[in-house]
Amino acid sequence: MSKKSLPAGLEPPRTLDGQLCFALYSANLAMGKLYRQLLAKLDLTYPQYLVMLVLWEGDGITVSELGERLYLDSATLTPLLKRLQSAGLVQRTRGTRDERQVIVTLTDEGRALRAKAGHVPEEVFCATGCEVDELIRLKRQLETLRSSLIDGNRN
Amino acid sequence: MSKKSLPAGLEPPRTLDGQLCFALYSANLAMGKLYRQLLAKLDLTYPQYLVMLVLWEGDGITVSELGERLYLDSATLTPLLKRLQSAGLVQRTRGTRDERQVIVTLTDEGRALRAKAGHVPEEVFCATGCEVDELIRLKRQLETLRSSLIDGNRN
DNA sequence: CGCAATTGAATCGCTTGCAATTGAATATCG
DNA sequence: CGATATTCAATTGCAAGCGATTCAATTGCG
């Protein structure tokens, strides 16, 4: 539990534009708007797309497991999964071994959507206007930041 | 309008963990949770805190100007500002020169809150566990990314 | 001037995101 | 075995966030 402090004489910024967090917040909003356009053809929202990404990697997992991957809990996932089910993309079935669990499975339609979504990552990459190396570095930094924030929160 | 393409042989990642966007999304969620704790004492949400930051820099601005600073529109800001008004932190008055505009002003209570919020940036800095240089670089990269995404979207 | 186009804010409907609670199934421990 | 604790998902209530629309005020143009 490292307790960091500011280098002497250095003030953390008190203005909007000085804050990392606002850059993070507003970049995320901008990313959300881009995805909204790209995913409109697929009738998916960005969080729904994330769920599909996880399921395409391997379905038949529980709501909890989905939540661990996405850092979301059942209050967010349950309604979202119901919407994906209404759209005919996933199936939700109670587990047989443990009846508390709900197993999420792809339908044929859900599996088929994968092909249609194949072009999305490249379109996003183009919109970033960044070099691959830069994006990889940025990704790693954000993952490190995420870890620190989650650990620190778990005081 | 530079049309970028991938270096030959390099595929954009199709898995969740490979994607920058998810790192951005999940880091932003983690940041939101941290702020929720820090701001609970002040009875502010993070977007409300952002609005207050802008107003502390200089109040008496319109809803549109607030939106330009924060990349938000009136559909988000109007209800948020009404809540800040209910909390006694801001005042909303129709402009005299142009009756379409709504001018947002701090109340004495709103101005007083600034002192209570003074420790927030340092607490956030500590929670990041990062060096100052690193945060500054990260901030700049996110701002560049934000610009590209917004420009690209405005096609 | 007078009317169409534009602009600023508000409103509506929908989807997140989360703290807090609930209810049911399972695990644990005496 | 049986009571208690824990765990999983669902539910509730609230605050964003945004596309689309609406309404009034203003601008612009003939």
Side-chain angles (χ1 to χ4, degrees), chain A residues 31-43:
Chain A
M31 189 70 82
K33 286 173 202 181
L34 172 64
Y35 269 104
R36 193 168 296 114
Q37 294 195 350
L38 297 180
L39 295 175
K41 306 187 249 304
L42 309 180
D43 273 306

Side-chain angles (χ1 to χ4, degrees), chain B residues 25 33 36 62-64 74-75 78 82 92 100 102:
Chain B
Y25 169 82
K33 285 174 201 180
R36 191 168 299 115
T62 67
V63 174
S64 296
S74 70
T78 297
K82 284 185 179 177
R92 291 157 62 245
R100 288 171 304 182
V102 166

Side-chain angles (χ1 to χ4, degrees), chain B residues 90-147:
Chain B
V90 308
Q91 200 61 36
R92 291 157 62 245
T93 45
R94 284 279 162 189
T96 50
R97 203 192 47 198
D98 185 338
E99 295 244 338
R100 288 171 304 182
Q101 303 188 132
V102 166
I103 312 294
V104 184
T105 319
L106 288 168
T107 62
D108 289 343
E109 201 179 335
R111 243 179 298 275
L113 193 64
R114 188 179 198 172
K116 282 197 171 187
H119 59 100
V120 171
E122 175 146 10
E123 287 180 317
V124 172
F125 167 74
C126 295
T128 63
C130 296
E131 297 304 324
V132 177
D133 297 353
E134 209 177 333
L135 292 179
I136 292 176
R137 257 206 323 275
L138 185 51
K139 177 173 92 70
R140 273 202 269 268
Q141 285 181 87
L142 288 170
E143 286 167 349
T144 303
L145 178 61
R146 182 183 63 202
S147 299

Side-chain angles (χ1 to χ4, degrees), chain B residues 19 26 54 111 127:
Chain B
Q19 303 210 354
S26 53
V54 173
R111 243 179 298 275

Side-chain angles (χ1 to χ4, degrees), chain A residues 39 42-56 70 79-81 83-84 87 89, chain B residues 25:
Chain A
L39 295 175
L42 309 180
D43 273 306
L44 288 178
T45 65
Y46 182 60
Q48 289 168 5
Y49 171 71
L50 291 179
V51 167
M52 295 304 286
L53 276 181
V54 174
L55 294 176
W56 287 329
L70 298 174
L80 189 156
L81 289 169
R83 283 186 282 271
L84 286 180
L89 300 175
Chain B
Y25 169 82

Side-chain angles (χ1 to χ4, degrees), chain B residues 57-85:
Chain B
E57 283 184 51
D59 66 339
I61 61 178
T62 67
V63 174
S64 296
E65 286 165 340
L66 215 34
E68 280 167 32
R69 290 294 302 279
L70 298 174
Y71 304 95
L72 295 173
D73 73 346
S74 70
T76 299
L77 288 174
T78 297
L80 188 155
L81 290 169
K82 284 185 179 177
R83 283 186 282 270
L84 286 180
Q85 184 172 34

